[in-house]
Structure formats: structure tokens, C-alpha cells
Amino acid sequence: QDLWSNLQEKINTENRVNSNSLFLPTPKKKTPFINPFTRAAAILLILITSCIIFYIFNNEDPALQDIAALPEMITKYNPAGVKSTIILPDKSKVKLNADSKLVFPEAFTGNYRKVTLEGEAFFEITENPNKPFLVITKDLTTEVKGTSFNINAYHDQVYVAVASGLVTSYKNKENGIYIQPGEMAIYRSNE
């Protein structure tokens, strides 16, 4: 019992000293969760990333600006048994046949109006002599300035039939052929 009394008296004495003290006990220092090397590496990484982003968005390099300015591509696909009519950004009209796919930009930029065709479509192209219209099918390019024509490119052959105007088709531009109304050209990719 003497031991218990001594212990209680010590506790009471310490409590009185602490409550009367003008100084609060100093808290223990917490050890940092991230060591200084990791913290420095993270700050350096943030600075480098910020500089790269700033450079990309403020660079006057025309190549980078052209990439940023490229229009989004739109893909229209008709499954078997479905046909559709598509109005392109230049108001040209395309009648897309079944089991066919047409890819075109949301806006025509640059020197050409260019689309890609897999399958068959009839084109009624709005005339623009300063900006030729190109249809890319397999290895063949068909170029017009304003006309109506049909392209059938389902297998290893591409058929280009002209309803009105003048059409040029070529694998390379130097060896193109001209197709007039009522004529049809056949391109076989295995030849």
C-alpha cells in the first residue's frame, strides 16, 4: 500500500507541474513520408513536363500547328442490305451502297477535298476548280473538279463509270487516264 501511495503522489505532483508550466511539451517530429530524393525527383519531373507542354502549345513550328489543325475524320459504314445518302462538308452528295465504307474529314482543308472509299458509291460533286475532289480506292485515285460518277471497288477490281463531267483516274499521276460521260474504266490491282 505504501508503494501505491508513493506512485499516486508522484503522478499528482507531475500533473501539477505540467499544468502550472508555461511551456507546453514539444511534439515529437514526424518523419517525412517521402524522402528528400524522391521529392526532388517529383518536382523535377513536374518542371520538365510543364516545360514540354508549354513548348508544344506555344511553338511556332508550322508542322506542329498543321497536326493540331487536322480535322476529325468521319467514317460512314453501310452493312449488307443498307444504303444511305451522305452530304459532305462541301455540299457534295454521296449515295453509299450496301457493304461499303466512306471516310471523310469533318471539314475539307488544304488543296484537295479527299475521301476514302471501300465498296461502291455514286458521287455528285460540287464544282470547285481550285480544289479538286479525290476518291482513294485501294491503289487507285480518282480526281474530279465537279461531276457525277460511280465507283465500284469491292474486290481486286475498281470500276469507274462517269455520268457527267470529266474524271481522271490514276495509280500514279503521270499515268492517269481521262474518262468521259458514258465511259467506264476498269483497274485490276493484280495487273
Side-chain angles (χ1 to χ4, degrees), residues 49-80:
T49 304
S50 299
C51 289
I52 290 171
I53 290 171
F54 180 80
Y55 175 77
I56 288 172
F57 284 107
N58 292 311
N59 190 355
E60 296 300 320
D61 184 4
L64 290 177
Q65 290 174 353
D66 287 346
I67 290 170
L70 288 176
E72 186 176 328
M73 298 304 284
I74 298 168
T75 301
K76 297 289 186 179
Y77 173 73
N78 287 346

PDB file of all heavy atoms in Angstrom, residues 49-80:
ATOM      1  N   THR A  49       7.894  18.351 -67.410  1.00  0.00           N
ATOM      2  CA  THR A  49       6.609  18.146 -68.089  1.00  0.00           C
ATOM      3  C   THR A  49       5.953  19.489 -68.405  1.00  0.00           C
ATOM      4  O   THR A  49       5.426  19.683 -69.504  1.00  0.00           O
ATOM      5  CB  THR A  49       5.676  17.281 -67.220  1.00  0.00           C
ATOM      6  OG1 THR A  49       6.342  16.056 -66.909  1.00  0.00           O
ATOM      7  CG2 THR A  49       4.380  16.984 -67.937  1.00  0.00           C
ATOM      8  N   SER A  50       5.995  20.417 -67.474  1.00  0.00           N
ATOM      9  CA  SER A  50       5.408  21.746 -67.702  1.00  0.00           C
ATOM     10  C   SER A  50       6.110  22.458 -68.848  1.00  0.00           C
ATOM     11  O   SER A  50       5.460  23.081 -69.696  1.00  0.00           O
ATOM     12  CB  SER A  50       5.497  22.595 -66.436  1.00  0.00           C
ATOM     13  OG  SER A  50       4.784  21.990 -65.398  1.00  0.00           O
ATOM     14  N   CYS A  51       7.427  22.353 -68.904  1.00  0.00           N
ATOM     15  CA  CYS A  51       8.188  22.999 -69.983  1.00  0.00           C
ATOM     16  C   CYS A  51       7.835  22.394 -71.339  1.00  0.00           C
ATOM     17  O   CYS A  51       7.671  23.116 -72.330  1.00  0.00           O
ATOM     18  CB  CYS A  51       9.689  22.877 -69.727  1.00  0.00           C
ATOM     19  SG  CYS A  51      10.251  23.905 -68.363  1.00  0.00           S
ATOM     20  N   ILE A  52       7.712  21.073 -71.410  1.00  0.00           N
ATOM     21  CA  ILE A  52       7.369  20.408 -72.663  1.00  0.00           C
ATOM     22  C   ILE A  52       5.972  20.834 -73.128  1.00  0.00           C
ATOM     23  O   ILE A  52       5.766  21.169 -74.295  1.00  0.00           O
ATOM     24  CB  ILE A  52       7.464  18.870 -72.514  1.00  0.00           C
ATOM     25  CG1 ILE A  52       8.929  18.457 -72.368  1.00  0.00           C
ATOM     26  CG2 ILE A  52       6.821  18.172 -73.698  1.00  0.00           C
ATOM     27  CD1 ILE A  52       9.123  17.001 -71.994  1.00  0.00           C
ATOM     28  N   ILE A  53       5.015  20.851 -72.225  1.00  0.00           N
ATOM     29  CA  ILE A  53       3.651  21.249 -72.579  1.00  0.00           C
ATOM     30  C   ILE A  53       3.640  22.707 -73.049  1.00  0.00           C
ATOM     31  O   ILE A  53       3.005  23.051 -74.048  1.00  0.00           O
ATOM     32  CB  ILE A  53       2.691  21.030 -71.387  1.00  0.00           C
ATOM     33  CG1 ILE A  53       2.497  19.526 -71.165  1.00  0.00           C
ATOM     34  CG2 ILE A  53       1.357  21.716 -71.617  1.00  0.00           C
ATOM     35  CD1 ILE A  53       1.753  19.177 -69.903  1.00  0.00           C
ATOM     36  N   PHE A  54       4.356  23.571 -72.336  1.00  0.00           N
ATOM     37  CA  PHE A  54       4.434  24.981 -72.733  1.00  0.00           C
ATOM     38  C   PHE A  54       5.042  25.114 -74.127  1.00  0.00           C
ATOM     39  O   PHE A  54       4.551  25.861 -74.959  1.00  0.00           O
ATOM     40  CB  PHE A  54       5.264  25.762 -71.699  1.00  0.00           C
ATOM     41  CG  PHE A  54       5.387  27.222 -72.041  1.00  0.00           C
ATOM     42  CD1 PHE A  54       4.358  28.102 -71.758  1.00  0.00           C
ATOM     43  CD2 PHE A  54       6.529  27.712 -72.655  1.00  0.00           C
ATOM     44  CE1 PHE A  54       4.461  29.443 -72.079  1.00  0.00           C
ATOM     45  CE2 PHE A  54       6.645  29.054 -72.980  1.00  0.00           C
ATOM     46  CZ  PHE A  54       5.608  29.924 -72.689  1.00  0.00           C
ATOM     47  N   TYR A  55       6.095  24.361 -74.406  1.00  0.00           N
ATOM     48  CA  TYR A  55       6.767  24.420 -75.708  1.00  0.00           C
ATOM     49  C   TYR A  55       5.825  23.971 -76.826  1.00  0.00           C
ATOM     50  O   TYR A  55       5.735  24.609 -77.872  1.00  0.00           O
ATOM     51  CB  TYR A  55       8.021  23.550 -75.693  1.00  0.00           C
ATOM     52  CG  TYR A  55       8.702  23.472 -77.039  1.00  0.00           C
ATOM     53  CD1 TYR A  55       9.478  24.518 -77.502  1.00  0.00           C
ATOM     54  CD2 TYR A  55       8.545  22.357 -77.852  1.00  0.00           C
ATOM     55  CE1 TYR A  55      10.095  24.461 -78.745  1.00  0.00           C
ATOM     56  CE2 TYR A  55       9.156  22.286 -79.091  1.00  0.00           C
ATOM     57  CZ  TYR A  55       9.932  23.339 -79.530  1.00  0.00           C
ATOM     58  OH  TYR A  55      10.524  23.277 -80.752  1.00  0.00           O
ATOM     59  N   ILE A  56       5.111  22.878 -76.604  1.00  0.00           N
ATOM     60  CA  ILE A  56       4.212  22.350 -77.640  1.00  0.00           C
ATOM     61  C   ILE A  56       3.104  23.350 -77.960  1.00  0.00           C
ATOM     62  O   ILE A  56       2.800  23.606 -79.121  1.00  0.00           O
ATOM     63  CB  ILE A  56       3.623  20.990 -77.207  1.00  0.00           C
ATOM     64  CG1 ILE A  56       4.716  19.920 -77.262  1.00  0.00           C
ATOM     65  CG2 ILE A  56       2.442  20.603 -78.084  1.00  0.00           C
ATOM     66  CD1 ILE A  56       4.311  18.595 -76.684  1.00  0.00           C
ATOM     67  N   PHE A  57       2.509  23.944 -76.935  1.00  0.00           N
ATOM     68  CA  PHE A  57       1.387  24.842 -77.177  1.00  0.00           C
ATOM     69  C   PHE A  57       1.811  26.229 -77.653  1.00  0.00           C
ATOM     70  O   PHE A  57       1.009  26.957 -78.225  1.00  0.00           O
ATOM     71  CB  PHE A  57       0.510  24.958 -75.929  1.00  0.00           C
ATOM     72  CG  PHE A  57      -0.363  23.762 -75.721  1.00  0.00           C
ATOM     73  CD1 PHE A  57      -0.099  22.851 -74.722  1.00  0.00           C
ATOM     74  CD2 PHE A  57      -1.440  23.528 -76.557  1.00  0.00           C
ATOM     75  CE1 PHE A  57      -0.901  21.744 -74.538  1.00  0.00           C
ATOM     76  CE2 PHE A  57      -2.245  22.420 -76.384  1.00  0.00           C
ATOM     77  CZ  PHE A  57      -1.969  21.526 -75.376  1.00  0.00           C
ATOM     78  N   ASN A  58       3.051  26.592 -77.441  1.00  0.00           N
ATOM     79  CA  ASN A  58       3.499  27.927 -77.848  1.00  0.00           C
ATOM     80  C   ASN A  58       4.539  27.906 -78.961  1.00  0.00           C
ATOM     81  O   ASN A  58       5.100  28.939 -79.289  1.00  0.00           O
ATOM     82  CB  ASN A  58       4.066  28.679 -76.640  1.00  0.00           C
ATOM     83  CG  ASN A  58       2.983  29.000 -75.653  1.00  0.00           C
ATOM     84  OD1 ASN A  58       1.945  29.521 -76.007  1.00  0.00           O
ATOM     85  ND2 ASN A  58       3.201  28.643 -74.405  1.00  0.00           N
ATOM     86  N   ASN A  59       4.766  26.743 -79.541  1.00  0.00           N
ATOM     87  CA  ASN A  59       5.772  26.644 -80.592  1.00  0.00           C
ATOM     88  C   ASN A  59       5.203  27.191 -81.895  1.00  0.00           C
ATOM     89  O   ASN A  59       4.062  26.934 -82.257  1.00  0.00           O
ATOM     90  CB  ASN A  59       6.193  25.175 -80.767  1.00  0.00           C
ATOM     91  CG  ASN A  59       7.400  25.050 -81.662  1.00  0.00           C
ATOM     92  OD1 ASN A  59       7.874  26.025 -82.225  1.00  0.00           O
ATOM     93  ND2 ASN A  59       7.891  23.851 -81.792  1.00  0.00           N
ATOM     94  N   GLU A  60       6.013  27.895 -82.634  1.00  0.00           N
ATOM     95  CA  GLU A  60       5.593  28.456 -83.914  1.00  0.00           C
ATOM     96  C   GLU A  60       5.897  27.520 -85.082  1.00  0.00           C
ATOM     97  O   GLU A  60       5.793  27.919 -86.227  1.00  0.00           O
ATOM     98  CB  GLU A  60       6.288  29.813 -84.133  1.00  0.00           C
ATOM     99  CG  GLU A  60       5.893  30.872 -83.111  1.00  0.00           C
ATOM    100  CD  GLU A  60       4.404  31.172 -83.121  1.00  0.00           C
ATOM    101  OE1 GLU A  60       3.820  31.232 -84.212  1.00  0.00           O
ATOM    102  OE2 GLU A  60       3.838  31.345 -82.035  1.00  0.00           O
ATOM    103  N   ASP A  61       6.303  26.281 -84.815  1.00  0.00           N
ATOM    104  CA  ASP A  61       6.635  25.328 -85.867  1.00  0.00           C
ATOM    105  C   ASP A  61       5.372  24.998 -86.659  1.00  0.00           C
ATOM    106  O   ASP A  61       4.405  24.468 -86.112  1.00  0.00           O
ATOM    107  CB  ASP A  61       7.224  24.059 -85.243  1.00  0.00           C
ATOM    108  CG  ASP A  61       7.692  23.059 -86.284  1.00  0.00           C
ATOM    109  OD1 ASP A  61       7.624  23.376 -87.488  1.00  0.00           O
ATOM    110  OD2 ASP A  61       8.127  21.965 -85.888  1.00  0.00           O
ATOM    111  N   PRO A  62       5.332  25.304 -87.971  1.00  0.00           N
ATOM    112  CA  PRO A  62       4.122  25.062 -88.766  1.00  0.00           C
ATOM    113  C   PRO A  62       3.723  23.595 -88.824  1.00  0.00           C
ATOM    114  O   PRO A  62       2.556  23.280 -88.909  1.00  0.00           O
ATOM    115  CB  PRO A  62       4.478  25.570 -90.170  1.00  0.00           C
ATOM    116  CG  PRO A  62       5.728  26.353 -90.031  1.00  0.00           C
ATOM    117  CD  PRO A  62       6.372  25.936 -88.754  1.00  0.00           C
ATOM    118  N   ALA A  63       4.694  22.699 -88.761  1.00  0.00           N
ATOM    119  CA  ALA A  63       4.368  21.264 -88.822  1.00  0.00           C
ATOM    120  C   ALA A  63       3.523  20.871 -87.622  1.00  0.00           C
ATOM    121  O   ALA A  63       2.540  20.137 -87.750  1.00  0.00           O
ATOM    122  CB  ALA A  63       5.638  20.431 -88.877  1.00  0.00           C
ATOM    123  N   LEU A  64       3.892  21.365 -86.442  1.00  0.00           N
ATOM    124  CA  LEU A  64       3.110  21.044 -85.248  1.00  0.00           C
ATOM    125  C   LEU A  64       1.733  21.698 -85.310  1.00  0.00           C
ATOM    126  O   LEU A  64       0.746  21.109 -84.885  1.00  0.00           O
ATOM    127  CB  LEU A  64       3.842  21.496 -83.986  1.00  0.00           C
ATOM    128  CG  LEU A  64       5.099  20.710 -83.625  1.00  0.00           C
ATOM    129  CD1 LEU A  64       5.755  21.312 -82.395  1.00  0.00           C
ATOM    130  CD2 LEU A  64       4.780  19.255 -83.388  1.00  0.00           C
ATOM    131  N   GLN A  65       1.652  22.902 -85.835  1.00  0.00           N
ATOM    132  CA  GLN A  65       0.366  23.573 -85.945  1.00  0.00           C
ATOM    133  C   GLN A  65      -0.535  22.853 -86.936  1.00  0.00           C
ATOM    134  O   GLN A  65      -1.733  22.745 -86.727  1.00  0.00           O
ATOM    135  CB  GLN A  65       0.567  25.022 -86.368  1.00  0.00           C
ATOM    136  CG  GLN A  65       1.201  25.861 -85.271  1.00  0.00           C
ATOM    137  CD  GLN A  65       1.532  27.264 -85.729  1.00  0.00           C
ATOM    138  OE1 GLN A  65       1.406  27.594 -86.903  1.00  0.00           O
ATOM    139  NE2 GLN A  65       1.963  28.093 -84.802  1.00  0.00           N
ATOM    140  N   ASP A  66       0.042  22.326 -88.047  1.00  0.00           N
ATOM    141  CA  ASP A  66      -0.760  21.580 -89.015  1.00  0.00           C
ATOM    142  C   ASP A  66      -1.340  20.327 -88.396  1.00  0.00           C
ATOM    143  O   ASP A  66      -2.477  19.956 -88.659  1.00  0.00           O
ATOM    144  CB  ASP A  66       0.082  21.208 -90.242  1.00  0.00           C
ATOM    145  CG  ASP A  66       0.353  22.413 -91.128  1.00  0.00           C
ATOM    146  OD1 ASP A  66      -0.318  23.449 -90.924  1.00  0.00           O
ATOM    147  OD2 ASP A  66       1.231  22.321 -91.995  1.00  0.00           O
ATOM    148  N   ILE A  67      -0.548  19.635 -87.558  1.00  0.00           N
ATOM    149  CA  ILE A  67      -1.038  18.422 -86.904  1.00  0.00           C
ATOM    150  C   ILE A  67      -2.195  18.772 -85.984  1.00  0.00           C
ATOM    151  O   ILE A  67      -3.213  18.096 -85.951  1.00  0.00           O
ATOM    152  CB  ILE A  67       0.105  17.724 -86.136  1.00  0.00           C
ATOM    153  CG1 ILE A  67       1.097  17.136 -87.132  1.00  0.00           C
ATOM    154  CG2 ILE A  67      -0.435  16.650 -85.214  1.00  0.00           C
ATOM    155  CD1 ILE A  67       2.375  16.626 -86.510  1.00  0.00           C
ATOM    156  N   ALA A  68      -2.060  19.858 -85.231  1.00  0.00           N
ATOM    157  CA  ALA A  68      -3.120  20.263 -84.306  1.00  0.00           C
ATOM    158  C   ALA A  68      -4.363  20.706 -85.063  1.00  0.00           C
ATOM    159  O   ALA A  68      -5.467  20.594 -84.560  1.00  0.00           O
ATOM    160  CB  ALA A  68      -2.622  21.379 -83.400  1.00  0.00           C
ATOM    161  N   ALA A  69      -4.198  21.217 -86.291  1.00  0.00           N
ATOM    162  CA  ALA A  69      -5.328  21.755 -87.046  1.00  0.00           C
ATOM    163  C   ALA A  69      -6.013  20.709 -87.916  1.00  0.00           C
ATOM    164  O   ALA A  69      -6.961  21.031 -88.609  1.00  0.00           O
ATOM    165  CB  ALA A  69      -4.844  22.902 -87.918  1.00  0.00           C
ATOM    166  N   LEU A  70      -5.518  19.469 -87.934  1.00  0.00           N
ATOM    167  CA  LEU A  70      -6.148  18.450 -88.777  1.00  0.00           C
ATOM    168  C   LEU A  70      -7.582  18.206 -88.337  1.00  0.00           C
ATOM    169  O   LEU A  70      -7.854  18.054 -87.149  1.00  0.00           O
ATOM    170  CB  LEU A  70      -5.356  17.131 -88.692  1.00  0.00           C
ATOM    171  CG  LEU A  70      -4.001  17.120 -89.392  1.00  0.00           C
ATOM    172  CD1 LEU A  70      -3.302  15.792 -89.147  1.00  0.00           C
ATOM    173  CD2 LEU A  70      -4.146  17.367 -90.876  1.00  0.00           C
ATOM    174  N   PRO A  71      -8.502  18.169 -89.291  1.00  0.00           N
ATOM    175  CA  PRO A  71      -9.896  17.937 -88.914  1.00  0.00           C
ATOM    176  C   PRO A  71     -10.127  16.479 -88.508  1.00  0.00           C
ATOM    177  O   PRO A  71      -9.390  15.584 -88.895  1.00  0.00           O
ATOM    178  CB  PRO A  71     -10.667  18.274 -90.196  1.00  0.00           C
ATOM    179  CG  PRO A  71      -9.689  18.059 -91.299  1.00  0.00           C
ATOM    180  CD  PRO A  71      -8.332  18.373 -90.724  1.00  0.00           C
ATOM    181  N   GLU A  72     -11.157  16.279 -87.740  1.00  0.00           N
ATOM    182  CA  GLU A  72     -11.522  14.929 -87.317  1.00  0.00           C
ATOM    183  C   GLU A  72     -12.100  14.159 -88.500  1.00  0.00           C
ATOM    184  O   GLU A  72     -12.820  14.720 -89.323  1.00  0.00           O
ATOM    185  CB  GLU A  72     -12.560  15.015 -86.202  1.00  0.00           C
ATOM    186  CG  GLU A  72     -12.896  13.679 -85.598  1.00  0.00           C
ATOM    187  CD  GLU A  72     -13.844  13.805 -84.425  1.00  0.00           C
ATOM    188  OE1 GLU A  72     -13.777  14.810 -83.719  1.00  0.00           O
ATOM    189  OE2 GLU A  72     -14.652  12.886 -84.237  1.00  0.00           O
ATOM    190  N   MET A  73     -11.772  12.872 -88.590  1.00  0.00           N
ATOM    191  CA  MET A  73     -12.261  12.042 -89.686  1.00  0.00           C
ATOM    192  C   MET A  73     -13.581  11.381 -89.289  1.00  0.00           C
ATOM    193  O   MET A  73     -13.751  10.944 -88.149  1.00  0.00           O
ATOM    194  CB  MET A  73     -11.229  10.981 -90.054  1.00  0.00           C
ATOM    195  CG  MET A  73      -9.902  11.563 -90.537  1.00  0.00           C
ATOM    196  SD  MET A  73     -10.050  12.678 -91.929  1.00  0.00           S
ATOM    197  CE  MET A  73     -10.318  11.526 -93.256  1.00  0.00           C
ATOM    198  N   ILE A  74     -14.485  11.301 -90.264  1.00  0.00           N
ATOM    199  CA  ILE A  74     -15.802  10.691 -90.053  1.00  0.00           C
ATOM    200  C   ILE A  74     -15.867   9.433 -90.909  1.00  0.00           C
ATOM    201  O   ILE A  74     -15.496   9.456 -92.081  1.00  0.00           O
ATOM    202  CB  ILE A  74     -16.919  11.668 -90.444  1.00  0.00           C
ATOM    203  CG1 ILE A  74     -16.846  12.912 -89.560  1.00  0.00           C
ATOM    204  CG2 ILE A  74     -18.285  11.003 -90.361  1.00  0.00           C
ATOM    205  CD1 ILE A  74     -17.707  14.062 -90.029  1.00  0.00           C
ATOM    206  N   THR A  75     -16.340   8.349 -90.335  1.00  0.00           N
ATOM    207  CA  THR A  75     -16.480   7.085 -91.051  1.00  0.00           C
ATOM    208  C   THR A  75     -17.953   6.715 -91.116  1.00  0.00           C
ATOM    209  O   THR A  75     -18.629   6.656 -90.090  1.00  0.00           O
ATOM    210  CB  THR A  75     -15.687   5.964 -90.349  1.00  0.00           C
ATOM    211  OG1 THR A  75     -14.321   6.337 -90.288  1.00  0.00           O
ATOM    212  CG2 THR A  75     -15.826   4.644 -91.088  1.00  0.00           C
ATOM    213  N   LYS A  76     -18.443   6.492 -92.322  1.00  0.00           N
ATOM    214  CA  LYS A  76     -19.819   6.026 -92.530  1.00  0.00           C
ATOM    215  C   LYS A  76     -19.734   4.628 -93.140  1.00  0.00           C
ATOM    216  O   LYS A  76     -19.086   4.424 -94.158  1.00  0.00           O
ATOM    217  CB  LYS A  76     -20.588   6.945 -93.487  1.00  0.00           C
ATOM    218  CG  LYS A  76     -20.763   8.344 -92.964  1.00  0.00           C
ATOM    219  CD  LYS A  76     -21.733   8.390 -91.816  1.00  0.00           C
ATOM    220  CE  LYS A  76     -21.993   9.822 -91.399  1.00  0.00           C
ATOM    221  NZ  LYS A  76     -22.930   9.935 -90.306  1.00  0.00           N
ATOM    222  N   TYR A  77     -20.404   3.672 -92.504  1.00  0.00           N
ATOM    223  CA  TYR A  77     -20.384   2.288 -92.989  1.00  0.00           C
ATOM    224  C   TYR A  77     -21.815   1.797 -93.132  1.00  0.00           C
ATOM    225  O   TYR A  77     -22.638   1.978 -92.225  1.00  0.00           O
ATOM    226  CB  TYR A  77     -19.617   1.386 -92.023  1.00  0.00           C
ATOM    227  CG  TYR A  77     -19.710  -0.070 -92.407  1.00  0.00           C
ATOM    228  CD1 TYR A  77     -19.018  -0.561 -93.501  1.00  0.00           C
ATOM    229  CD2 TYR A  77     -20.528  -0.937 -91.696  1.00  0.00           C
ATOM    230  CE1 TYR A  77     -19.120  -1.891 -93.879  1.00  0.00           C
ATOM    231  CE2 TYR A  77     -20.633  -2.271 -92.062  1.00  0.00           C
ATOM    232  CZ  TYR A  77     -19.935  -2.750 -93.147  1.00  0.00           C
ATOM    233  OH  TYR A  77     -20.044  -4.056 -93.529  1.00  0.00           O
ATOM    234  N   ASN A  78     -22.099   1.200 -94.282  1.00  0.00           N
ATOM    235  CA  ASN A  78     -23.399   0.572 -94.514  1.00  0.00           C
ATOM    236  C   ASN A  78     -23.221  -0.942 -94.493  1.00  0.00           C
ATOM    237  O   ASN A  78     -22.470  -1.476 -95.317  1.00  0.00           O
ATOM    238  CB  ASN A  78     -23.978   0.975 -95.873  1.00  0.00           C
ATOM    239  CG  ASN A  78     -24.480   2.398 -95.886  1.00  0.00           C
ATOM    240  OD1 ASN A  78     -24.639   3.016 -94.847  1.00  0.00           O
ATOM    241  ND2 ASN A  78     -24.722   2.922 -97.064  1.00  0.00           N
ATOM    242  N   PRO A  79     -23.892  -1.645 -93.596  1.00  0.00           N
ATOM    243  CA  PRO A  79     -23.818  -3.110 -93.645  1.00  0.00           C
ATOM    244  C   PRO A  79     -24.607  -3.645 -94.838  1.00  0.00           C
ATOM    245  O   PRO A  79     -25.274  -2.890 -95.549  1.00  0.00           O
ATOM    246  CB  PRO A  79     -24.454  -3.534 -92.310  1.00  0.00           C
ATOM    247  CG  PRO A  79     -25.287  -2.380 -91.890  1.00  0.00           C
ATOM    248  CD  PRO A  79     -24.685  -1.148 -92.492  1.00  0.00           C
ATOM    249  N   ALA A  80     -24.544  -4.935 -95.056  1.00  0.00           N
ATOM    250  CA  ALA A  80     -25.256  -5.562 -96.178  1.00  0.00           C
ATOM    251  C   ALA A  80     -26.746  -5.235 -96.085  1.00  0.00           C
ATOM    252  O   ALA A  80     -27.344  -5.269 -95.015  1.00  0.00           O
ATOM    253  CB  ALA A  80     -25.039  -7.067 -96.149  1.00  0.00           C
TER     254      ALA A  80
END
